[in-house]
Amino acid sequence: MKGFFSLLALLLLGIATTSAQTPIAELPKKINSHQWKAGHIQGIAVDTKREHIYFSFTTMLIKADMQGNIIGTVTGLLGHLGCIEFNDADGRIYGSLEYKNDSIGKGILKQEKIEKNWESGFYVAIFDVDKIVREGMSAEKDGIMTSVYLSPVVADFNAKVEVDGKVLEHKYGCSGFDGITFGPKFGKSDGKRYLTIAYGIYGDTKRNDNDHQVLLQFDASKWAKYEQPLLQENMHKSGPKKADGKYFVHTGNTHWGVQNMEYDSTRNMWILATYRGRKENYANYNIYLVDGNIAPTKSRLEGVEYQKRGKLLTLAQYGPTDPNHSDIRGWIFERPTVGIHALGEDYYYISHRKKKNGFQSTTAVLYKFVGSDKEAFVRVK
């Protein structure tokens, strides 16, 4: 019996050891993705317990170890796979997936040499990463990916609104969604983790209702009833009819909205990485931090005349202040728009995009958050 308990103790010790997170000091300072004939890098995600890193290259997902050795790839997507996030709760990758006929959608089809007109649809792609074991696996045929349709995003994308006496397409300037991450309800630091997405925003400088980032939260733990394989010739519309919360962040217009979003539990803040806007009355930062400790307030949304009030979030007190807008703070730092992952203890991997001879690649580089008026992150040497 004593031998049995000794064996059990060793087994439990082994489980604890294999499930423990890799200490940050032992993580590589750089991880290269290798080169790929694909769209540019869109996002990165890391599973530090299993020591895997994932790269989203617009129409393909790549799985590698922490030394950059390729374990497998998922291909065959004809939509825009954007920001990705690893969900610790179920061990799967969640990503934004868009199908539409605007310049981005048409560019993807041209790259893939396919002629097609999509009915615009927005999905959360969910990858069972344990099944990614070799290169060239099919998103449709190998049982790796399911998806959930987000009708609330489709509704805002398709909506027509009146702004300054003109009827315009796309509520809030919504172009779909890109940023995706998991975190608590805004105003809390613990409790249930919600799948949180951020809209893409068209960069129209002549309308006034597109100066907020729009964030939706969903309880994805209840999504098993919605998940279906995505057949691109006959796409489903199975998904929640409404979000568990809809929130707004006043930043000024940003070209294409939030490209990457990441929740940092160390400081209870949300990183919004965007492309810079072009409105002259804004500082046009491209990194903003939402303070997760401050509960949303029901407020008037500046410039949104067709909606009386919305749940407004507060930007954290880091970085320089916009000279014309005292509620806006941020930085200009281009790199996180193509991938950022919070490791904890103020450390991050940030994607460095490269293109050479028609091939795309990236290097995930280790940074530390400093949050000074001069810079948000400094590279770890």
Side-chain angles (χ1 to χ4, degrees), residues 126-361:
I126 306 171
F127 297 90
D128 185 344
V129 294
D130 288 340
K131 295 180 179 179
I132 305 175
V133 294
R134 57 181 170 80
E135 291 189 37
M137 300 188 76
S138 169
E140 289 185 301
K141 299 176 182 178
D142 285 325
I144 295 169
M145 190 187 87
T146 56
S147 57
V148 174
Y149 183 77
L150 294 189
S151 58
V153 182
V154 176
D156 284 345
F157 176 81
N158 288 333
K160 295 182 185 296
V161 293
E162 187 172 326
V163 181
D164 294 331
K166 298 179 180 179
V167 176
L168 301 176
E169 293 184 326
H170 313 302
K171 194 174 185 179
Y172 319 116
C174 172
S175 71
F177 82 101
D178 208 336
I180 189 168
T181 191
F182 282 88
K185 274 286 188 182
F186 291 108
K188 296 184 177 181
S189 60
D190 55 10
K192 179 177 287 188
R193 289 305 197 245
Y194 288 82
L195 178 71
T196 306
I197 69 163
Y199 280 9
I201 304 289
Y202 285 118
D204 187 343
T205 61
K206 297 180 179 179
R207 62 191 292 177
N208 298 317
D209 65 329
N210 60 352
D211 291 332
H212 293 81
Q213 306 308 319
V214 183
L215 277 55
L216 305 184
Q217 288 196 315
F218 297 89
D219 183 358
S221 67
K222 300 178 180 179
W223 276 10
K225 59 186 176 183
Y226 299 128
E227 287 186 41
Q228 293 188 21
L230 186 63
L231 304 177
Q232 293 173 115
E233 289 299 322
N234 185 24
M235 294 192 291
H236 71 83
K237 295 184 179 180
S238 175
K241 300 303 179 185
K242 63 179 183 178
D244 293 287
K246 188 174 192 175
Y247 308 90
F248 299 84
V249 187
H250 185 220
T251 61
N253 179 252
T254 53
H255 197 54
W256 295 116
V258 177
Q259 296 295 295
N260 267 252
M261 179 167 58
E262 184 73 354
Y263 174 67
D264 184 337
S265 60
T266 299
R267 294 179 182 259
N268 193 26
M269 65 185 186
W270 304 73
I271 295 90
L272 311 182
T274 76
Y275 294 135
R276 296 187 67 188
R278 299 167 183 171
K279 290 188 177 180
E280 294 181 355
N281 61 323
Y282 285 96
N284 295 317
Y285 303 123
N286 61 358
I287 296 289
Y288 302 92
L289 304 182
V290 173
D291 192 333
N293 296 304
I294 301 177
T297 58
K298 287 189 176 180
S299 307
R300 183 182 71 86
L301 301 177
E302 184 177 331
V304 187
E305 58 190 65
Y306 48 79
Q307 181 173 324
K308 290 184 178 179
R309 304 173 79 191
K311 294 179 180 179
L312 194 64
L313 301 176
T314 301
L315 291 174
Q317 297 298 298
Y318 297 106
T321 302
D322 186 322
N324 297 319
H325 302 273
S326 60
D327 61 326
I328 298 176
R329 302 179 72 158
W331 297 268
I332 298 172
F333 180 36
E334 302 292 342
R335 294 194 185 279
T337 55
V338 290
I340 181 169
H341 180 90
L343 295 161
E345 301 177 29
D346 286 338
Y347 287 93
Y348 289 78
Y349 276 126
I350 295 178
S351 174
H352 286 213
R353 172 189 177 186
K354 295 180 182 179
K355 181 180 180 180
K356 186 176 181 180
N357 298 327
F359 286 85
Q360 298 281 352
S361 66

